[in-house]
Structure formats: structure tokens, C-alpha cells
Amino acid sequence: MNRVLKPKTFATAITLVAASAMLGAAGVVSFNLGKTQAQVAAPTEPTAVAVLNLQDVLGELAENTDFQANVNAKNEQLQAELARRQSAVQTMQNDLELLDPASDAYSTKEDQIFDALIELRTWQSIQEQRNVLDQRTHLANLYRKIVQAGGAVAEQQGYDMVLLDTQVPDLDRLNPEQLLNAIATRKVLFHTDDVDITRDVLERMNTAYNNR
């Protein structure tokens, strides 16, 4: 036999059902919120950072040492050639002094000296530009190789990032402008020796260069 709820009893039942639904929803929200907070607060792996001293690498890299030796040898040859060209111009000027300024030979010699000076300055300018271009090309290629080798060593040893370390200058000998520049360009304030991969990068690059 169906039982008919009285109005008061029926209203109470509706209230209980609504309250249960509200509590259930609150429970779900609370559970989801708690999960989100747990996810946010979950510990993450610290970033493993290594350091690389670029000045030490450039100073001890066999490829760079050989390049600088070739540059020095080339500069000696250019200096000898420059001295030869300057001596030739000086000889022409000495010859000019022996000529009569009113003669055609004097005018001809002046033109020859003028052309020789233009040729000398043009040649010297071209050599300087070539030297700058060679240096720039060499350093750019070398930097790319250092970046590649540094990344390979870092990945091999489990590092996530590599920072460039620089040698600390004698701060007491710097003027204020130099001191501010040294502070501004300093990328690493402190590191332990075990995160320095400079020697490993050097060994890797020198081995590759010697086995080329």
C-alpha cells in the first residue's frame, strides 16, 4: 500500500535530498580542488647547471692556437711587404730631389710617386680588411663549435643548462666605469668546481681537431 506523505513530511524529504546533493557536489569540488593543489605543490627536479670558462677554452684550444700562429706568420710577411713598398716609394722620392723641378722628368716622377702612394694605401687597406674578416670568420666558427661541444658534454653529463663563466679581474685596479662594466657582464657569481665542464669541452674539441 502506497504511503502518502503529509505536506510537512514531504517538504522535509525534499530538503534532505537537496542537502545531500549539495554536500555531494561540495565533496566533488573539494576533492578536485585538493588534487589541483597537490599537483601544483608536487616537487620538481632541480635544474642541473654547468659552467664553462670561454676565455680558458679560447686560450688553450689547439685550433685557435694554430690560427693565431698562422696570423702572426702572415702579419710578418705583410710587414715585410709593406716595408718593401715603402722603401720603393722613398727611393722614388729621393730620385725626385735630384731632378730639376721645372723639367718634364720631375713632373713624371711626381705622378709616379702619387700613383705608388695610392697603390700602397689601397693595398694596406685591403690587407687590414682581410685580416678583420678572417678573424671574424674564425671566431664565429669557433664559437659555434664551442656551443656544440658544450651542449654535447652537458647532455652527456646530465646538465640542463650551461652558463658562461668569466675570470674575475682585479677590481681594485679598475676605474668606476670599468668596474660597473665588469659587474654587469659577470654571469656567474659562484659555482663549485664539480660543475665546471671547461676541461671536458677542451679535451673533446682538441681531440676532434687533432683527429681531423
Side-chain angles (χ1 to χ4, degrees):
M1 181 176 179
N2 295 334
R3 183 177 179 181
V4 179
L5 296 176
K6 296 181 180 180
K8 183 176 181 181
T9 305
F10 179 74
T12 302
I14 292 298
T15 302
L16 290 174
V17 171
S20 298
M22 291 177 64
L23 289 174
V28 171
V29 172
S30 177
F31 173 77
N32 289 336
L33 181 60
K35 183 177 181 181
T36 301
Q37 291 174 342
Q39 291 174 341
V40 173
T44 57
E45 289 292 332
T47 302
V49 180
V51 296
L52 173 68
N53 192 307
L54 187 59
Q55 292 172 311
D56 286 349
V57 172
L58 291 175
E60 301 181 40
L61 206 56
E63 181 176 357
N64 192 44
T65 301
D66 288 349
F67 175 82
Q68 295 302 329
N70 290 333
V71 168
N72 293 337
K74 183 178 180 180
N75 285 338
E76 290 181 0
Q77 295 176 353
L78 292 177
Q79 288 298 322
E81 177 63 17
L82 177 61
R84 187 193 68 78
R85 289 173 180 258
Q86 290 174 334
S87 177
V89 173
Q90 184 61 50
T91 299
M92 296 172 66
Q93 290 176 337
N94 294 337
D95 293 341
L96 181 66
E97 295 177 356
L98 301 176
L99 299 175
D100 181 4
S103 65
D104 292 338
Y106 188 93
S107 298
T108 301
K109 183 63 70 174
E110 273 190 327
D111 292 340
Q112 292 175 349
I113 293 174
F114 183 75
D115 291 340
L117 286 173
I118 292 178
E119 182 181 354
L120 173 61
R121 292 170 183 171
T122 302
W123 175 85
Q124 191 172 8
S125 176
I126 291 175
Q127 300 308 318
E128 291 174 353
Q129 293 177 20
R130 284 180 176 174
N131 185 43
V132 171
L133 180 60
D134 289 345
Q135 290 277 358
R136 183 178 64 186
T137 302
H138 167 72
L139 288 176
N141 291 335
L142 205 59
Y143 179 71
R144 294 187 187 98
K145 292 179 181 180
I146 292 173
V147 170
Q148 183 179 11
V153 171
E155 186 176 5
Q156 184 180 31
Q157 298 185 7
Y159 291 107
D160 304 308
M161 182 185 300
V162 179
L163 299 179
L164 286 181
D165 190 19
T166 55
Q167 296 175 348
V168 180
D170 188 352
L171 302 181
D172 295 331
R173 295 182 177 273
L174 303 180
N175 60 42
E177 183 178 355
Q178 293 172 331
L179 181 58
L180 287 175
N181 183 65
I183 294 173
T185 56
R186 181 75 174 168
K187 297 179 177 63
V188 179
L189 297 181
F190 169 80
H191 69 82
T192 56
D193 292 338
D194 57 339
V195 300
D196 191 339
I197 62 173
T198 301
R199 308 309 307 178
D200 297 323
V201 172
L202 266 172
E203 181 178 356
R204 182 186 183 92
M205 294 187 68
N206 284 336
T207 299
Y209 178 73
N210 294 330
N211 294 336
R212 69 191 186 283

